């Protein structure tokens, strides 16, 4: 489900080796996690998110959201409520170039639910990019796995809910950072 997409891949050379877009998980990455968030009033951005997103926009790097929202499949969130929450995210954090949301449950066997690569490949396609030009940033192993499965780069930004095994796996297969700014900075500087 693509809630909003505008292909703004940008013509200027991107910083870092081919980085043209950063795709963020929504919950516990851009905003504080509230399970099955259906009320836009509950949207609270994580510290530094707006500033980082504005810096990326200024540099001509496309930004998107790739988010599992199984509450829709479970009947805990209506599609309209999800759209209102995502609109509130944009009000607080600014516009995103693409939103890719998986409304399915774990048992649905879809190709878009992370750790499957579908959301990442759909976001890259919506931006007119190859996944290799994208960086996926998230707080759990499924975010990293989806990015890597799609052929993108990935960084894990652990939170208290991130499992130790997910952190160790990300250290071996991708990268781990202490903050959103550090996660993106690693790639903007061309260090990874």
């Amino acid at each position: 489900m693509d809630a909003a997409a505008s292909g703004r891949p940008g013509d200027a050379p991107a910083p870092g080796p081919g980085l043209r877009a950063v795709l963020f998980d929504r919950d516990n990455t851009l905003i504080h996690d509230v399970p099955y968030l259906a009320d836009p009033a509950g949207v609270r951005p994580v510290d530094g998110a707006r500033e980082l997103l504005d810096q990326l926009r200024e540099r001509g790097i496309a930004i998107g959201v790739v988010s599992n929202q199984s509450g829709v499949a479970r009947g805990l969130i209506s599609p309209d409520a999800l759209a209102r929450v995502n609109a509130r995210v944009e009000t607080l954090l600014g516009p995103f170039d693409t939103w890719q949301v998986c409304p399915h449950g774990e048992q649905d066997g879809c190709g878009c639910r992370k750790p499957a690569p579908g959301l990442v490949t759909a976001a890259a396609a919506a931006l007119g990019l190859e996944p290799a030009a994208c960086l996926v940033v998230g707080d759990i192993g499924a975010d990293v796995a989806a990015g890597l499965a799609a052929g993108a780069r990935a960084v894990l930004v652990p939170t208290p809910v991130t499992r130790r095994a997910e952190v160790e796996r990300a250290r071996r297969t991708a990268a781990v950072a202490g903050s959103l700014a550090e996660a993106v900075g690693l790639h903007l500087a061309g260090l990874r």
Side-chain angles (χ1 to χ4, degrees):
M1 173 162 96
D2 185 10
S6 69
R8 188 196 70 150
D11 296 325
L19 181 63
R20 305 274 309 272
V22 182
L23 308 174
F24 295 92
D25 174 56
R26 190 190 79 176
D27 301 324
N28 252 356
T29 301
L30 291 175
I31 66 170
H32 293 280
D33 186 35
V34 175
Y36 308 113
L37 180 59
D39 181 357
V43 174
R44 293 180 305 114
V46 300
D47 292 341
R50 177 66 192 238
E51 295 81 5
L52 173 65
L53 294 170
D54 286 344
Q55 290 171 9
L56 291 171
R57 290 179 186 108
E58 289 170 12
R59 294 181 83 153
I61 296 174
I63 54 174
V65 176
V66 289
S67 181
N68 287 348
Q69 294 296 323
S70 66
V72 174
R74 296 175 187 188
L76 301 171
I77 309 168
S78 72
D80 288 342
L82 177 61
R84 287 191 300 275
V85 167
N86 289 344
R88 179 67 177 157
V89 172
E90 284 213 346
T91 297
L92 296 174
L93 295 178
F96 291 87
D97 298 296
T98 187
W99 280 84
Q100 302 295 328
V101 177
C102 173
H104 305 112
E106 291 180 37
Q107 298 77 18
D108 292 337
C110 68
C112 56
R113 183 175 173 76
K114 296 178 288 184
L119 292 177
V120 177
T121 57
L127 297 169
L129 299 172
E130 292 296 322
C134 301
L135 169 65
V136 177
V137 179
D139 68 306
I140 62 173
D143 301 318
V144 171
L148 295 177
R153 297 169 239 188
V155 179
L156 181 72
V157 181
T159 67
V161 302
T162 311
R163 295 186 204 120
R164 181 176 299 170
E166 293 173 320
V167 175
E168 292 308 315
R169 188 174 309 113
R171 286 190 205 288
R172 291 189 311 272
T173 61
V176 177
S179 68
L180 285 178
E182 181 184 345
V184 174
L186 287 171
H187 290 270
L188 290 180
L191 299 177
R192 281 204 56 84

